[in-house]
């Protein structure tokens, strides 16, 4: 019986030692995780919109943040090379070393190609294709010719042809026939002879 009690006591002591070791290991792991993740330590993201890349880099690295350029896009409200967008947003709370993703103004106004609509489209078809390509339209102007037949597209007072590039979002004017017949020059010549 004494041997049996000794074995039980030995097992209880060993289980106690294992529990104590497990508790110590868990305590050490949780302390390490707490210090590694800097739980509760946040940095407020500074505003870098409107700064150039060098200024943004200085501003972010001064508070322990990193940056990455995620995109280049044109914005007429900013000079070329200026930051026009940041993610996470201004005043967001992040951990030290977090990456702030920046969009930089490319300075190059995006251009769009004029689709082929003159001499082969109706007014409705031309409007649909030009609006679909990202252009804005004024009220059409009319000239003598077949009703609803598109004869020309005007940009800044000048005729533009298919394949020409103009700034994206430009305002165009469609020149369309009003239904008055165009006299054929050959028929006019034969009448006068």
């Amino acid at each position: 019986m004494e041997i049996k009690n000794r074995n039980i006591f030995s097992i209880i002591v060993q289980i106690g030692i294992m529990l104590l070791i497990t508790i110590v290991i868990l305590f050490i792991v949780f302390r390490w995780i707490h210090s590694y993740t800097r739980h509760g330590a946040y940095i407020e993201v500074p505003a870098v919109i409107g700064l150039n890349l060098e200024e943004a880099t200085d501003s972010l690295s001064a508070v322990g943040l990193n940056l990455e350029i995620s995109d280049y896009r044109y914005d007429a409200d900013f000079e070329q090379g200026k930051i026009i967008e940041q993610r996470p947003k201004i005043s967001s709370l992040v951990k030290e070393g977090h990456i702030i993703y920046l969009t930089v103004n490319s300075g190059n106004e995006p251009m769009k190609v004029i689709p082929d609509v003159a001499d082969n489209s109706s007014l409705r078809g031309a409007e649909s294709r030009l609006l679909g390509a990202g252009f804005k339209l004024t009220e059409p102007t009319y000239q003598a010719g077949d009703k609803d037949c598109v004869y020309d597209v005007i940009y800044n007072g000048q005729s533009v042809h298919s394949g020409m590039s103009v700034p994206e979002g430009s305002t165009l004017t469609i020149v369309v026939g009003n239904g008055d017949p165009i006299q054929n020059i050959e028929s006019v010549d034969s009448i006068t002879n």
Side-chain angles (χ1 to χ4, degrees):
M1 188 74 137
E2 195 173 304
I3 296 175
K4 191 175 182 183
N5 285 342
R6 196 180 294 194
N7 285 339
I8 293 174
F9 180 73
S10 175
I11 291 173
I12 291 173
V13 169
Q14 289 175 1
I15 291 174
I17 291 172
M18 286 190 297
L19 283 174
L20 184 63
I21 290 172
T22 303
I23 291 170
V24 169
I25 289 173
L26 286 175
F27 178 77
I28 292 170
V29 167
F30 283 125
R31 293 292 269 170
W32 176 80
I33 287 174
H34 184 76
S35 67
Y36 180 75
T37 61
R38 293 180 293 278
H39 182 70
Y42 295 101
I43 297 170
E44 188 173 321
V45 176
V48 294
I49 293 175
L51 302 178
N52 64 35
L53 198 52
E54 185 178 325
E55 294 168 333
T57 302
D58 292 344
S59 177
L60 292 172
S61 62
V63 293
L65 299 174
N66 299 316
L67 68 90
E68 186 174 306
I69 298 172
S70 62
D71 197 10
Y72 286 90
R73 193 175 64 226
Y74 176 73
D75 189 326
D77 295 334
F78 292 89
E79 293 177 26
Q80 181 176 0
K82 300 288 184 174
I83 308 301
I84 58 176
E85 186 178 301
Q86 70 182 70
R87 289 184 328 271
K89 301 285 183 196
I90 300 165
S91 299
S92 298
L93 298 177
V94 297
K95 297 285 188 175
E96 182 179 344
H98 190 83
I99 297 174
I100 307 301
Y101 296 94
L102 305 176
T103 302
V104 180
N105 188 13
S106 65
N108 300 323
E109 190 170 12
M111 303 295 276
K112 282 281 192 173
V113 175
I114 302 284
D116 186 17
V117 294
D119 297 328
N120 65 0
S121 296
S122 67
L123 175 60
R124 180 172 283 176
E127 287 174 333
S128 175
R129 288 186 67 198
L130 291 171
L131 289 171
F135 296 107
K136 298 173 189 159
L137 298 175
T138 63
E139 287 295 317
T141 59
Y142 293 90
Q143 71 177 30
D146 296 333
K147 184 163 183 63
D148 284 339
C149 181
V150 174
Y151 288 99
D152 202 0
V153 177
I154 307 293
Y155 168 68
N156 279 349
Q158 295 188 352
S159 178
V160 289
H161 308 289
S162 66
M164 290 177 70
S165 294
V166 297
E168 187 176 281
S170 295
T171 302
L172 306 175
T173 303
I174 300 173
V175 179
V176 65
N178 61 7
D180 291 342
I182 300 175
Q183 284 191 316
N184 189 337
I185 294 175
E186 291 176 10
S187 65
V188 172
D189 285 344
S190 65
I191 294 173
T192 56
N193 285 339

